[in-house]
Amino acid sequence: MVSKGPVTMFLCLLFGDFTRGASTQQAFRVEPDNITVLEGAVALLQCVVDNPSGVIQWVKDGLLLGPDTNIPGFPRYSMMGDPSKGEWHHLRIVGSRLADDGEYECQAGRSEESPGIVSHMALLSVLVPPKTPAFKEYEANSTVTWVAGMEYKVTCSVEDAKPAAEISFSKGGSPLPDVSHQVHSGSNEKLSSTVAVLRVTPQSLDNGKRLVCAATNEAVSASVVAGFTMNILFPPQPPTIEGYKRPEIKAGETLKLTCISLSGNPLATLQWLKNGNVVSTSWETEDVSGASRSLLTLSIKPEDNGAQLHCEAMNQVSPLPLVASVTLRVVFLPTEVSIVGSSSTPENKQISLSCSTTPSNPPVQLRWWLGWRELTTTEVTVTEAAHGGTVTVSNLTHVARREENGLPLTCEAFSEVMLFTRSTSLPLSVQYPPQKVWIEAPPPDSQFRAGTKDTKSLKEGTQVASGKIVSKELILTTSPSDNLAIYRCNASNGGKSPALTAQTRLHVQFPPIDVKITTMAKEVRRGQTLTLTCITGSSNPFATLAWFKDAEKLKGVDLGQKPAEFGGLSTSGKVTLVVSSSDNGLRVTCQAYSSILAEAVNTFYKLNILYPPEFSSKQPAVAQGVEHGAVELPLHVSANPPELSCSWSFRGEVLKPEGSPRHHLRAGGSLAIWNLSRADMGQYRARCQNPEGQNETHLHLDVHYAPSIRSLGDPVYVDLGATAELVCIADANPTPAGMFQWTWLGTEERSLEELELEPEASGAVGRLRIRGARQAQAGLYECRVDNGLPPQARGSARLIVRFKPEIEKGMGLGKVAMPGDGSSPVTLQCRAQGVPSVKFSWEKNGAALHPDNPRYTERTWHEGAWHSSTLTIANVSAMHDYATFTCRASNALGTDKLDIQLLSTSPPEPPTGLKVVSVTHNSATLEWIPGFDGGLPQRFRIRYHWPGTPSALYMDVFPAQTPAFTLMGLSPATPYSIGVSAYNTLGESTQGPSITITTAELPLEEPPVVEPEVSQTEAPSWPPALTGGLSALGALLLFSNAALLTCLLRQHQTRAGVQEEAKERRKPSAGNDYSSGEAVNPAAWQTLLDSYSERSAPSGGSSMGTWPGYVPSHEYQPRLPPHPKRAVGETDASTTDSGFPARWLGPSGPHEYEDVMEPGVYEELGALHLRATAPLSPGALPCLADVDTYPWRGWSLAGSAEPLRIYDQVADTPPPGADEGLPFELRGELV
């Protein structure tokens, strides 16, 4: 049989080549090229085959689409063209989508006339236009307020474009530089999202301009834009003052000044200040001209001299007020000129008088006149006075002569610049002795003040003689009646008769005897004119009148003087007033003042002004109360006559306190309200009247009450990454800052700062702003409102963060292993998070599962944000069910998918992530991540060695399935290379990457190891019989090695023949069935298999997993000491290199399952999941002529050019207990 194989194969190959050369071969005339289309457009991939004889179909990303013109499962795909020209297989895709983006091949299957051909790969690239740009910090098409000169960050993002969008910024149509870009993946791995950041410093010229973010890529011809209008705040220009043109202004004039400030956004607010005090806060704005104006009107007074007038302009972005100022220079004249000092002096004596003026600006000059002669013996001084004025003082010294007695002594104030003059005068009185010494008496013009004593008169009853002179004094206390009275002195003695007579007349100065005020008006009302007349009694000299209203000096009219009794004069004057209600009860005083006597006599007239009710400036406009409490609305009103009546009204209805349980009228008109409610809040009107009329005022009652929540949106939905607000609207008064408090009511205590939430409040509205919403922020939030009045108000709202589905992925979720003998079901599980509710769909190898298929049962349930779906496959079949199942979880926000490979049970995959947890001087603790267990319970084996050892040592991990182990018995300060592998009942995995560690030094505190002393003795001598036995054993070993080498050579030759026969049997014929009954193209079938293998590549645990707690009794073993690795070719009598007992591999006839299986099907599937990972060494087998015996399950012959595609390789009669390590459903043979 071995000798016939090569001859038969040679004849078949020769006949095949001859036949093929004689037929026409199929070939590509046009192969597909790379094309690029816009999303939604029609894509056409061309493929033209000359002499087509096989089945023509397309491959998309390794998936065969089938030969039908209308491709099943792909309604937008179709093959088109002219069949007569070989063009019927162009691939036309209508409404291209991103899912169509991929690699495409055109395949022509094998036929009897021609082998299969495959075109080169063509790429279909679908371009996706960018979405409308979105701003992170601002809202599109809004007006954004910025401050000029400050830097702002503008983030513009464009989602899901292909290729990535290019973003640019422009301001008022002008492009902006210095834009940073960042591109990251979009919602799909083929899409890109671009984020651009612009840092811009706006200027005042940018006000009103539009900032635009534009996005473009190859898929659009015009940029997609979004923007907002900039409202730039900038300070105004410094103000200017107009209207002050002259360098000085006279007191009494009216001054009008205008302050103008240009530009600014917003326009400037203006105010006037005089000497630092605000005098005007009114201004006007002109939006067209962009200016603010303020008019100030002043009535100039002397006090305004030197006053500083400031105009301040500012707006909300001005760091400091901008100021323009002027200094007033006011010219004013002195109001009085007065002389201080006595003008009476003895003859030839020097008198000293002082003349002074009231303040003036500029200063005036003073000069003295005696009669019509100017006196020059003066000393003038000018001193500063209030309000920048000056006081001029002139001191006069003069020697009085007899002839000057009685002349007027005048002080004149004048200003040549102002054309001003004002003077005051008094008579000069010069005293000299009488010519006839008959009586010593004051001169006739001497003045005496009433009430003083005259010490120069004769003293009654006492005569003093001095030589020939006799004198007598008379002491008088003067009174007004003594003025101009004649006193006669009669001197006589007994020797001479008649008596000698001398007389004198006294001049007595006295103030007004009385002062009276009279008026003609009987009743005076507010706004009327009242004239008061003041008449003084006799006085010497005459008095001057001055009028005062309280402390205010009034300007009166002098009516002159009239002679009165006692030789004095009576002075009259009047004053006219326009009275107001504030004058009622005030006193108008008439003061009669004698400057010579420096004495004044006063009287007053009390004003009785009739007026209707008036409300005081202290009348409050607002009153406050607390709900359920009491409040009094005060009323500060005055009237004359004071008898008045008051009434209150609220919302147009007159309140009637009489008999009312809540409203009470107090004395003075105040209104008391008991048991307040918020309905009492509002405007109250008080109306009062008396015989003179009526008046009213308004008072707003502000009722404070505890808060209540009027509105709290629940629930609030927000998309993941978007911005949302929880809005809490309260009804409360007052609404202080900090009234709203937000609390997260989750199971854990987390602050708003940890949740990155931003609470805001404006009046009675509290907001909790969520920016860039995350799943961790979802939950129940409490809004607590406290305005200081108990009780607090509480309400809760739920924040629901919507996000696209996220399927739970990880180790053990991407693969499921189950025997494919059609006897057992399997359940594939898919679990996803998502809001709103998630819907699941299942696919098999990219094609949707039909819901009516009885072999597949889908079940879905929901638990909060988690959603689960299971797919149960009944009677798993290797031919029908070993495939990639795709679970798709979808909601309105997106889709996620998980590929789950359903495989046959197999040896496990190698562990990964080996790492060292801790190292001591004699141990090392290791951890690793288990790989896919192949659907069976797996165990782990540690391999380690150190320098100088001939082979590695192995240690099995116990307990089983534990991904951690402490390796003991290591040597101190020694480097070790350590690796780990996994094994189950079907075989052992390859070893994962190894790591190198070095153990620690031996601790110093440990006592040194004392080796036992060995006595120095002579080497033992061997018995002769033992020496002969060992020699015979060595010869036997040499003979057995020679026999084993001969056997190995024969095995190698025999196995080569067996492999050639197996290849002949496996050649598929043209009659092999495809699933649809059509001929199978081996090239296309191999493409499908390779694609399947690539998709099965990612590692992961099996959903079947291991059976927790399932450890067969024969597998339970205590920790074993490590066993050294055997050298190459070394065997054991009881085991083979495969690790199985040699008795399991006893001789048996060939058992090829092609004889009992469907032709061609299990051959190909064997390459997917039954290929051996660790071959048996043929040297471990007995040297038998029948070499077609197959090793144990899961293993193939090493060294074969191609592994035999056998569905399963099992010994015909496995030994007892060989299946004990397998679950029950895996035991036995497949027949």
Side-chain angles (χ1 to χ4, degrees):
M1 181 176 178
V2 175
S3 61
K4 293 181 182 181
V7 176
T8 305
M9 181 180 295
F10 175 77
L11 293 177
C12 290
L13 292 175
L14 181 62
F15 178 77
D17 292 341
F18 176 79
T19 305
R20 189 180 300 111
S23 62
T24 302
Q25 300 296 311
Q26 54 186 359
F28 288 107
R29 180 168 15 120
V30 177
E31 294 191 56
D33 291 328
N34 297 339
I35 63 173
T36 300
V37 297
L38 298 179
E39 186 179 30
V42 177
L44 184 64
L45 294 168
Q46 296 186 353
C47 178
V48 180
V49 180
D50 287 335
N51 303 316
S53 57
V55 176
I56 297 177
Q57 58 183 330
W58 285 83
V59 179
K60 177 182 181 295
D61 293 331
L63 177 65
L64 289 170
L65 301 181
D68 290 348
T69 303
N70 296 321
I71 299 175
F74 296 84
R76 296 180 293 103
Y77 289 27
S78 63
M79 289 194 293
M80 56 176 293
D82 187 355
S84 62
K85 299 179 181 180
E87 298 176 351
W88 65 278
H89 35 266
H90 295 334
L91 180 61
R92 184 173 184 264
I93 303 176
V94 179
S96 299
R97 302 175 184 172
L98 188 63
D100 303 327
D101 190 294
E103 301 174 348
Y104 293 80
E105 292 178 350
C106 180
Q107 293 189 1
R110 185 184 63 180
S111 67
E112 295 181 356
E113 295 81 10
S114 175
I117 58 176
V118 179
S119 71
H120 62 244
M121 188 175 296
L123 297 177
L124 172 60
S125 180
V126 179
L127 301 183
V128 179
K131 304 294 187 296
T132 302
F135 294 99
K136 177 181 178 181
E137 298 86 358
Y138 310 104
E139 183 178 356
N141 299 322
S142 65
T143 298
V144 175
T145 300
W146 285 343
V147 178
M150 295 183 62
E151 185 182 79
Y152 293 90
K153 176 183 177 183
V154 180
T155 304
C156 181
S157 60
V158 178
E159 305 291 336
D160 295 342
K162 183 173 181 285
E166 296 181 1
I167 298 179
S168 62
F169 287 87
S170 63
K171 179 175 65 176
S174 300
L176 295 175
D178 303 330
V179 179
S180 60
H181 296 80
Q182 183 179 1
V183 179
H184 54 86
S185 59
S187 60
N188 187 290
E189 60 182 2
K190 296 182 180 180
L191 296 177
S192 299
S193 297
T194 305
V195 177
V197 178
L198 170 68
R199 294 192 177 275
V200 59
T201 303
Q203 304 300 326
S204 59
L205 296 177
D206 299 330
N207 186 35
K209 292 183 179 179
R210 185 172 175 81
L211 185 68
V212 174
C213 173
T216 184
N217 68 357
E218 299 175 9
V220 294
S221 57
S223 300
V224 182
V225 300
F228 55 82
T229 302
M230 296 181 292
N231 178 33
I232 309 302
L233 304 182
F234 56 93
Q237 296 180 6
T240 58
I241 297 177
E242 298 178 357
Y244 191 67
K245 300 178 180 179
R246 295 179 297 169
E248 56 188 20
I249 187 170
K250 293 182 179 181
E253 292 183 352
T254 299
L255 178 63
K256 294 185 178 181
L257 301 178
T258 303
C259 179
I260 302 175
S261 177
L262 302 177
S263 188
N265 183 28
L267 294 177
T269 61
L270 303 177
Q271 70 173 1
W272 286 93
L273 295 92
K274 186 173 79 171
N275 295 330
N277 298 319
V278 177
V279 295
S280 176
T281 57
S282 61
W283 76 95
E284 297 179 353
T285 58
E286 299 177 1
D287 294 336
V288 176
S289 59
S292 296
R293 300 175 184 273
S294 179
L295 176 64
L296 177 65
T297 301
L298 291 176
S299 179
I300 301 301
K301 300 178 182 179
E303 300 92 283
D304 296 329
N305 183 43
Q308 295 282 337
L309 292 180
H310 299 281
C311 176
E312 291 184 351
M314 68 179 301
N315 63 8
Q316 63 191 67
V317 295
S318 301
L320 292 172
L322 303 173
V323 181
S325 61
V326 295
T327 302
L328 299 181
R329 179 172 175 80
V330 180
V331 175
F332 53 92
L333 301 175
T335 57
E336 291 181 4
V337 179
S338 59
I339 299 176
V340 178
S342 175
S343 60
S344 177
T345 182
E347 180 183 19
N348 298 322
K349 296 294 185 180
Q350 180 176 288
I351 62 172
S352 297
L353 298 174
S354 177
C355 178
S356 61
T357 66
T358 55
S360 65
N361 182 38
V364 297
Q365 297 177 337
L366 293 178
R367 57 189 174 187
W368 290 87
W369 300 89
L370 182 58
W372 302 104
R373 178 169 61 92
E374 183 177 1
L375 302 179
T376 59
T377 56
T378 61
E379 180 182 350
V380 179
T381 59
V382 178
T383 59
E384 294 182 356
H387 312 302
T390 58
V391 173
T392 305
V393 177
S394 177
N395 295 320
L396 171 69
T397 58
H398 177 68
V399 178
R401 306 297 180 188
R402 181 182 302 178
E403 60 272 13
E404 297 172 349
N405 184 48
L407 293 178
L409 184 62
T410 303
C411 177
E412 179 186 13
F414 68 96
S415 174
E416 296 178 353
V417 178
M418 304 291 294
L419 300 178
F420 165 79
T421 179
R422 176 168 291 177
S423 63
T424 184
S425 62
L426 53 83
L428 179 62
S429 176
V430 181
Q431 300 173 3
Y432 52 90
Q435 296 296 320
K436 295 178 180 181
V437 185
W438 297 99
I439 187 173
E440 291 185 0
D445 294 332
S446 297
Q447 304 291 329
F448 297 94
R449 184 169 180 174
T452 63
K453 293 182 178 180
D454 182 5
T455 61
K456 296 183 180 181
S457 301
L458 295 177
K459 189 173 183 181
E460 182 179 4
T462 303
Q463 258 183 202
V464 178
S466 177
K468 296 181 178 182
I469 300 175
V470 178
S471 63
K472 188 178 182 178
E473 291 185 351
L474 177 64
I475 300 176
L476 297 175
T477 300
T478 59
S479 64
S481 59
D482 293 329
N483 184 46
L484 299 181
I486 297 175
Y487 287 84
R488 194 181 306 272
C489 177
N490 296 323
S492 65
N493 57 16
K496 183 181 180 180
S497 181
L500 298 176
T501 301
Q503 63 180 21
T504 184
R505 187 186 296 271
L506 295 181
H507 294 275
V508 179
Q509 296 177 333
F510 56 90
I513 297 174
D514 59 9
V515 181
K516 295 181 180 180
I517 298 176
T518 61
T519 180
M520 300 297 294
K522 295 182 180 181
E523 291 183 346
V524 183
R525 288 180 172 79
R526 179 182 62 183
Q528 293 181 351
T529 300
L530 173 65
T531 300
L532 300 177
T533 302
C534 181
I535 303 174
T536 70
S538 178
S539 66
N540 181 36
F542 67 87
T544 59
L545 298 182
W547 293 89
F548 297 91
K549 184 174 66 174
D550 278 0
E552 179 186 359
K553 187 174 183 180
L554 304 177
K555 186 177 182 181
V557 178
D558 188 3
L559 300 180
Q561 294 80 30
K562 294 180 181 180
E565 58 183 341
F566 310 129
L569 296 174
S570 174
T571 304
S572 301
K574 68 177 181 178
V575 68
T576 301
L577 302 174
V578 178
V579 296
S580 64
S581 59
S582 61
D583 295 330
N584 183 51
L586 299 183
R587 294 182 177 185
V588 177
T589 301
C590 176
Q591 183 185 76
Y593 179 74
S594 175
S595 60
I596 296 175
L597 300 177
E599 185 176 348
V601 179
N602 302 285
T603 189
F604 69 89
Y605 177 85
K606 187 175 181 179
L607 297 176
N608 183 28
I609 310 301
L610 303 178
Y611 60 95
E614 289 185 356
F615 296 96
S616 170
S617 59
K618 297 180 180 180
Q619 173 67 34
V622 178
Q624 292 182 350
V626 179
E627 193 172 30
H628 309 305
V631 69
E632 183 172 339
L633 306 184
L635 202 61
H636 300 282
V637 62
S638 62
N640 192 21
E643 295 78 13
L644 51 84
S645 61
C646 297
S647 64
W648 290 82
S649 61
F650 178 57
R651 296 178 181 173
E653 181 180 353
V654 177
L655 302 178
K656 297 179 179 180
E658 297 81 5
S660 172
R662 296 180 61 243
H663 300 94
H664 305 274
L665 196 62
R666 302 298 188 191
S670 299
L671 177 66
I673 304 176
W674 296 352
N675 193 19
L676 278 174
S677 70
R678 64 193 68 183
D680 295 325
M681 186 164 51
Q683 197 83 2
Y684 286 77
R685 185 187 68 182
R687 177 176 292 174
C688 298
Q689 62 182 8
N690 71 349
E692 294 298 317
Q694 66 179 13
N695 196 2
E696 64 181 31
T697 186
H698 294 83
L699 189 147
H700 181 79
L701 175 58
D702 186 18
V703 179
H704 291 185
Y705 50 88
S708 63
I709 295 179
R710 180 181 299 173
S711 173
L712 179 58
D714 180 36
V716 175
Y717 294 91
V718 59
D719 292 342
L720 189 67
T723 299
E725 286 184 348
L726 296 178
V727 180
C728 182
I729 301 177
D731 182 13
N733 189 33
T735 56
M739 181 176 71
F740 291 91
Q741 299 291 330
W742 293 88
T743 307
W744 188 61
L745 300 181
T747 55
E748 301 177 358
E749 292 187 2
R750 300 175 66 185
S751 64
L752 299 183
E753 291 77 9
E754 293 175 339
L755 294 170
E756 298 180 4
L757 303 179
E758 303 174 7
E760 298 178 358
S762 177
V765 180
R767 291 180 171 85
L768 186 62
R769 189 181 303 276
I770 301 99
R771 299 182 185 274
R774 309 191 311 274
Q775 297 181 28
Q777 295 170 330
L780 191 64
Y781 291 83
E782 181 186 65
C783 172
R784 186 170 69 253
V785 187
D786 182 6
N787 67 346
L789 298 177
Q792 300 177 355
R794 297 173 182 264
S796 59
R798 185 171 300 276
L799 176 67
I800 299 177
V801 179
R802 298 182 296 191
F803 56 95
K804 72 175 186 177
E806 298 177 358
I807 297 180
E808 183 179 17
K809 302 174 182 177
M811 186 69 67
L813 299 179
K815 292 183 179 180
V816 176
M818 178 61 67
D821 54 3
S823 63
S824 303
V826 67
T827 298
L828 309 183
Q829 184 169 353
C830 183
R831 191 165 180 256
Q833 266 187 309
V835 177
S837 183
V838 173
K839 295 183 178 179
F840 292 93
S841 63
W842 290 85
E843 300 175 358
K844 177 182 176 183
N845 289 339
L849 294 179
H850 198 282
D852 298 332
N853 193 331
R855 298 189 67 252
Y856 303 108
T857 304
E858 182 181 354
R859 177 175 173 264
T860 302
W861 68 96
H862 308 275
E863 299 175 4
W866 282 98
H867 316 270
S868 301
S869 176
T870 58
L871 179 67
T872 301
I873 306 171
N875 303 326
V876 175
S877 168
M879 181 178 68
H880 296 96
D881 299 322
Y882 282 175
T884 297
F885 291 83
T886 300
C887 170
R888 293 187 183 274
S890 305
N891 64 9
L893 300 181
T895 303
D896 195 8
K897 71 173 184 176
L898 171 65
D899 291 337
I900 304 175
Q901 300 180 24
L902 180 56
L903 308 172
S904 173
T905 52
S906 63
E909 295 181 354
T912 59
L914 177 62
K915 65 178 181 179
V916 178
V917 178
S918 63
V919 177
T920 67
H921 68 283
N922 63 353
S923 67
T925 301
L926 310 173
E927 284 186 357
W928 58 88
I929 301 174
F932 178 55
D933 59 7
L936 298 172
Q938 63 176 343
R939 295 186 174 195
F940 302 102
R941 177 171 294 158
I942 296 176
R943 172 186 180 274
Y944 65 102
H945 69 89
W946 61 95
T949 57
S951 62
L953 297 183
Y954 290 81
M955 177 68 72
D956 289 342
V957 174
F958 183 83
Q961 306 174 13
T962 303
F965 187 74
T966 300
L967 195 61
M968 305 293 293
L970 305 181
S971 299
T974 303
Y976 287 89
S977 177
I978 303 176
V980 64
S981 61
Y983 64 94
N984 61 15
T985 54
L986 294 185
E988 185 173 359
S989 72
T990 60
Q991 181 175 298
S994 61
I995 60 174
T996 301
I997 66 167
T998 300
T999 54
E1001 297 284 346
L1002 186 67
L1004 296 179
E1005 59 271 17
E1006 291 187 4
V1009 179
V1010 179
E1011 298 290 341
E1013 295 185 359
V1014 179
S1015 61
Q1016 299 293 332
T1017 60
E1018 295 181 355
S1021 59
W1022 297 95
L1026 180 60
T1027 305
L1030 292 176
S1031 301
L1033 180 60
L1036 181 61
L1037 288 176
L1038 291 175
F1039 177 78
S1040 63
N1041 287 339
L1044 180 60
L1045 180 61
T1046 303
C1047 181
L1048 288 175
L1049 292 175
R1050 290 185 58 193
Q1051 271 190 331
H1052 179 71
Q1053 295 173 356
T1054 304
R1055 185 166 62 246
V1058 172
Q1059 290 175 352
E1060 291 296 326
E1061 289 182 2
K1063 289 181 180 179
E1064 290 295 329
R1065 286 195 304 269
R1066 289 199 316 270
K1067 288 184 179 179
S1069 63
N1072 284 351
D1073 291 336
Y1074 190 55
S1075 60
S1076 61
E1078 299 176 354
V1080 175
N1081 178 10
W1085 181 241
Q1086 185 60 42
T1087 301
L1088 177 60
L1089 293 179
D1090 293 343
S1091 172
Y1092 184 90
S1093 300
E1094 293 174 0
R1095 292 193 301 271
S1096 304
S1099 63
S1102 169
S1103 63
M1104 290 288 293
T1106 58
W1107 289 269
Y1110 174 75
V1111 180
S1113 60
H1114 75 282
E1115 293 185 358
Y1116 181 79
Q1117 299 176 4
R1119 181 176 301 177
L1120 300 177
H1123 45 83
K1125 180 180 179 182
R1126 297 186 185 91
V1128 177
E1130 185 177 351
T1131 61
D1132 192 320
S1134 61
T1135 61
T1136 66
D1137 288 346
S1138 62
F1140 296 100
R1143 60 186 176 82
W1144 289 14
L1145 304 176
S1148 61
H1151 191 136
E1152 298 183 8
Y1153 283 89
E1154 287 87 341
D1155 299 338
V1156 296
M1157 294 185 300
E1158 183 178 353
V1161 176
Y1162 290 91
E1163 297 175 351
E1164 305 298 331
L1165 291 176
L1168 288 176
H1169 53 85
L1170 298 176
R1171 188 169 297 176
T1173 58
L1176 288 172
S1177 173
L1181 300 177
C1183 181
L1184 300 175
D1186 190 0
V1187 297
D1188 289 338
T1189 302
Y1190 292 91
W1192 180 236
R1193 178 188 306 267
W1195 301 79
S1196 65
L1197 296 174
S1200 300
E1202 180 179 357
L1204 296 178
R1205 298 185 181 273
I1206 307 299
Y1207 180 74
D1208 207 349
Q1209 302 173 5
V1210 186
D1212 288 334
T1213 306
D1219 290 338
E1220 290 180 0
L1222 297 176
F1224 179 79
E1225 60 268 25
L1226 295 182
R1227 300 180 184 179
E1229 296 184 65
L1230 177 65
V1231 296

